[in-house]
Amino acid sequence: MEFLRPATWDEALAAKAGRPAALPLAGGTDVMVELNFDVRRPPALLDLNRVTELAEWSWDGAVVRLGAAVPYSRIIAELAGPLPGLALAARTVGSPQIRNRGGVGGNLGAASPAGDAHPALLAAGPDVLVEAASVRGTRLIPIDDFYTGVKRNSLAADELIRAVRIPVADGPQQFSKIGTRNAMVIAVCAFGFALHPRTRTVGTGIGSAAPTPRRAAEAEEYLREVLAERGLWESGELLDAEVVQRFGELVKAAAAPIDDVRGTADYRRHALAVMARRTLTWTWNDFRRQIGSAA
């Protein structure tokens, strides 16, 4: 197996163009597991750890440009304000050692439906963009178009993920995950939720309960209509129990889980409905406090 170790981004793109089958390696928290268990044996590894710009982030007030290799530990410590949903998801990733190495770029590259970052990215809204680059140039892939199948994404063979552009949160966000134990576990299922008061919309993200990470589109539309028709964005009144229940049922219906060693399909559907109700309640209570303090 060949080991490529570029020192700059341009060198990395050139290496990927010359060896499209080379497997990118940054945190390595997914890659090394697959190599150790002989699940994957690529002809070459493309080590990106010397490309320092991948571990940087910037913020223009409206959008965070998150380098592909910014570790989860820094997302937790530095970005909990502008990206609360992603920071909450980052807290559930592996162990401290894994959070110090792994990043969102690796989650996206692996495109596993169980990746912890995916529900938070989807819930953050359709304006989340994956910055993919090659020697041919750079393109921005909307998060809704990024996942194409089980552990498959829309990257071309010669492309690398450079960064993710994520709108700064303008309302409360939440993330919930169920595993077979409390730490260092792959999700049985996960759910991300976000309120977007500026656009009067809501965002959802389902993880580990379908072939790809996905939204609960009907649940989003249902809640959007209820909040608008009843003037709840302005009044901040409590949500009726039937609204919360219906939202949970629509999230449950959006899933397409399977039975596997971590849990049954029926359990995943039930758990998603519970997580949807809880995260909606938590975020709405946070929103009510925010508008109450503003008044």
Side-chain angles (χ1 to χ4, degrees):
M1 183 186 300
E2 189 176 0
F3 190 73
L4 310 174
R5 199 161 186 252
T8 68
W9 181 242
D10 287 342
E11 289 180 6
L13 295 182
K16 185 63 170 168
R19 297 293 302 272
L23 181 62
L25 175 69
T29 57
D30 288 327
V31 171
M32 294 310 299
V33 172
E34 293 184 338
L35 293 179
N36 289 338
F37 284 91
D38 208 24
V39 174
R40 186 185 296 197
R41 192 60 59 183
L45 288 177
L46 178 59
D47 181 8
L48 300 174
N49 282 287
R50 294 173 67 194
V51 185
T52 56
E53 67 179 81
L54 295 179
E56 299 172 354
W57 64 268
S58 60
W59 178 13
D60 67 2
V63 174
V64 172
R65 184 179 180 275
L66 181 69
V70 175
Y72 291 113
S73 57
R74 287 185 55 204
I75 294 173
I76 297 167
E78 302 170 19
L79 291 168
L83 304 179
L86 185 60
L88 287 170
R91 290 180 178 276
T92 74
V93 175
S95 64
Q97 296 91 335
I98 291 174
R99 291 191 291 273
N100 283 335
R101 293 289 298 174
V104 171
N107 241 195
L108 288 167
S112 167
D116 293 316
H118 306 312
L121 293 175
L122 287 167
D127 291 335
V128 173
L129 301 172
V130 179
E131 192 175 313
S134 71
V135 294
R136 298 174 288 109
T138 299
R139 64 186 179 118
L140 300 177
I141 308 171
I143 193 67
D144 289 337
D145 300 332
F146 186 77
Y147 311 106
T148 60
V150 180
K151 296 188 176 181
R152 298 200 308 273
N153 58 49
S154 57
L155 292 174
D158 64 341
E159 285 183 319
L160 295 171
I161 298 171
R162 188 173 191 174
V164 188
R165 303 183 186 185
I166 310 168
V168 171
D170 64 322
Q173 300 181 355
Q174 273 290 342
F175 175 82
S176 186
K177 170 182 172 179
I178 289 179
T180 53
R181 59 184 184 179
N182 286 333
M184 294 184 67
V185 66
I186 300 173
V188 173
C189 55
F191 185 70
F193 181 73
L195 292 171
H196 303 298
R198 187 178 64 253
T199 57
R200 299 294 195 262
T201 59
V202 301
T204 61
I206 293 173
S208 203
T212 67
R214 61 169 59 173
R215 297 183 188 280
E218 289 189 24
E220 291 180 7
E221 182 61 19
Y222 165 74
L223 189 57
R224 185 194 67 78
E225 291 180 355
V226 168
L227 296 178
E229 291 172 0
R230 301 186 184 182
L232 295 175
W233 289 112
E234 294 77 21
S235 69
E237 294 180 2
L238 283 171
L239 294 176
D240 294 341
E242 59 266 28
V243 171
V244 177
Q245 182 71 25
R246 179 59 177 161
F247 178 75
E249 290 302 310
L250 289 172
V251 169
K252 173 182 175 179
I258 60 171
D259 297 330
D260 64 16
V261 296
R262 297 196 306 278
T264 66
D266 285 345
Y267 176 74
R268 285 182 162 98
R269 291 189 185 96
H270 168 75
L272 280 169
V274 173
M275 289 191 292
R277 294 196 300 266
R278 288 178 178 175
T279 54
L280 170 57
T281 301
W282 295 337
T283 52
W284 190 252
N285 286 341
D286 286 344
F287 176 71
R288 295 179 69 236
R289 284 191 288 269
Q290 286 180 9
I291 64 174
S293 62

